[in-house]
């Protein structure tokens, strides 16, 4: 089943009164999430603050986007009015990173029917659709049950030896993987034994994923195929969530997400790193 939904499909569901919950999960360094939401959002959308609703407290030891406490996710989906019969549609500004993070976290929390809006708010507006402003809807409290652990997770200890029994994938851009560029985390380089396939290389310019056969070819180039033991990391779990979403688009499931990512690994000076 696809993990994505198009602007046309979302517009039809809104017009048809479908049982959906639309979640605005935008984030940027330039503007507070709620300010972006209040200025313009897709009609019916509810507000999500990715830093508060989709992540725990950042630290050198845990990384920049550790897993949230499950109670925090439970409070969020209740506030959004999510019920078991709802299709949850998440979107961001357009690059897919925070929407993919929301998709993965909600799947990890046990929500099965979650889609990402391809192209996000940028695609919605480019198609000529109207936006709403202000505080948005105040839905009735949601009732869906959530529980942690419904998507595979790899720990720091797991990834120490992952390449001995499977494939450890670094989903960052090659320059960061090779240690030639690092503007965010404490050290440059990658985890020993990791292979590199940038999550961005799995997308078209409009934010949609490549056709399934092309995705499978890209994955096969680093040894990823159905049945292989795969763990994926990025800097802090954003590009790696996008990568795992692309894997599911290609029909390859059960990849583990190393949530702490390079931000956690690089924060420990005792751990080995590779640069080339």
């Amino acid at each position: 089943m696809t993990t994505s939904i198009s602007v046309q499909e979302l517009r039809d569901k809104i017009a048809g009164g479908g049982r959906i919950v639309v979640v605005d999960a935008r984030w940027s360094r330039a503007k507070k999430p709620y300010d972006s939401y209040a200025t313009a959002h897709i009609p019916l959308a509810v507000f999500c603050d990715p830093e508060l609703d989709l992540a725990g407290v950042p630290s050198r030891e845990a990384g920049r986007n550790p897993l949230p406490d499950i109670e925090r996710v439970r409070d969020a989906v209740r506030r959004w009015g999510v019920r078991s019969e709802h299709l949850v549609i998440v979107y961001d500004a357009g690059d897919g990173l925070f929407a993919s993070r929301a998709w993965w976290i909600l799947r990890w929390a046990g929500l099965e029917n979650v889609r990402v809006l391809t192209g996000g708010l940028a695609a919605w507006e480019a198609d000529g659709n109207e936006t709403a402003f202000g505080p948005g809807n105040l839905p009735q409290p949601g009732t869906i049950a959530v529980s942690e652990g419904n998507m595979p997770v790899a720990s720091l200890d797991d990834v120490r030896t992952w390449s001995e029994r499977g494939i450890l994938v670094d989903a960052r851009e090659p320059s960061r993987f090779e240690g030639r560029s690092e503007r965010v985390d404490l050290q440059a380089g990658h985890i020993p034994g990791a292979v590199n396939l940038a999550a961005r290389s799995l997308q078209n310019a409009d934010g949609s994923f490549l056709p399934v056969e092309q995705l499978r070819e890209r994955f096969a180039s680093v040894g990823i195929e159905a049945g292989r033991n795969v763990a994926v990391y990025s800097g802090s779990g954003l590009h790696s969530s996008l990568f795992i979403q692309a894997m599911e688009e290609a029909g390859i499931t059960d990849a583990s997400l190393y949530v702490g990512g390079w931000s956690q690994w690089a924060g420990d000076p005792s751990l080995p790193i590779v640069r080339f």
Side-chain angles (χ1 to χ4, degrees), residues 132-147:
F133 64 92
N137 296 313
L138 298 175
Q140 293 295 314
T143 58
I144 195 168
V146 300
S147 61

Side-chain angles (χ1 to χ4, degrees), residues 57-64 66 156 186 258 260-261 263-265 267-269:
V57 179
S59 68
R60 181 172 184 149
E61 293 74 24
R64 287 188 277 115
L156 186 150
L186 295 172
Y258 172 30
S263 59
Q264 182 185 43
W265 187 277
D268 187 339

Side-chain angles (χ1 to χ4, degrees), residues 23-155:
V23 179
D24 184 314
R26 286 177 290 162
W27 184 90
S28 75
R29 290 185 176 88
K31 200 171 186 179
K32 293 181 179 180
Y34 185 77
D35 290 343
S36 296
Y37 172 82
T39 299
H41 56 265
I42 293 175
L44 300 185
V46 293
F47 170 66
C48 166
D49 185 331
E51 289 184 318
L52 297 178
D53 296 328
L54 305 177
V57 179
S59 68
R60 181 172 184 149
E61 293 74 24
R64 287 188 277 115
N65 283 308
L67 284 173
D69 185 275
I70 193 62
E71 292 298 328
R72 179 174 296 183
V73 181
R74 182 176 291 114
D75 289 345
V77 297
R78 178 176 172 80
R79 186 175 72 246
W80 301 334
V82 182
R83 298 172 180 265
S84 59
E85 66 269 21
H86 284 138
L87 167 64
V88 179
I89 300 165
V90 294
Y91 72 89
D92 56 22
D95 65 9
L97 291 179
F98 283 92
S100 291
R101 168 74 177 194
W103 169 84
W104 191 91
I105 288 292
L106 293 177
R107 293 280 304 279
W108 168 81
L111 277 67
E112 297 180 357
N113 203 8
V114 185
R115 304 276 185 89
V116 172
L117 177 64
T118 300
L121 183 65
W124 177 266
E125 292 181 314
D127 196 52
N129 298 294
E130 294 183 354
T131 57
F133 64 92
N137 296 313
L138 298 175
Q140 293 295 314
T143 58
I144 195 168
V146 300
S147 61
E148 59 189 310
N150 293 279
M151 291 285 273
V153 173
S155 68

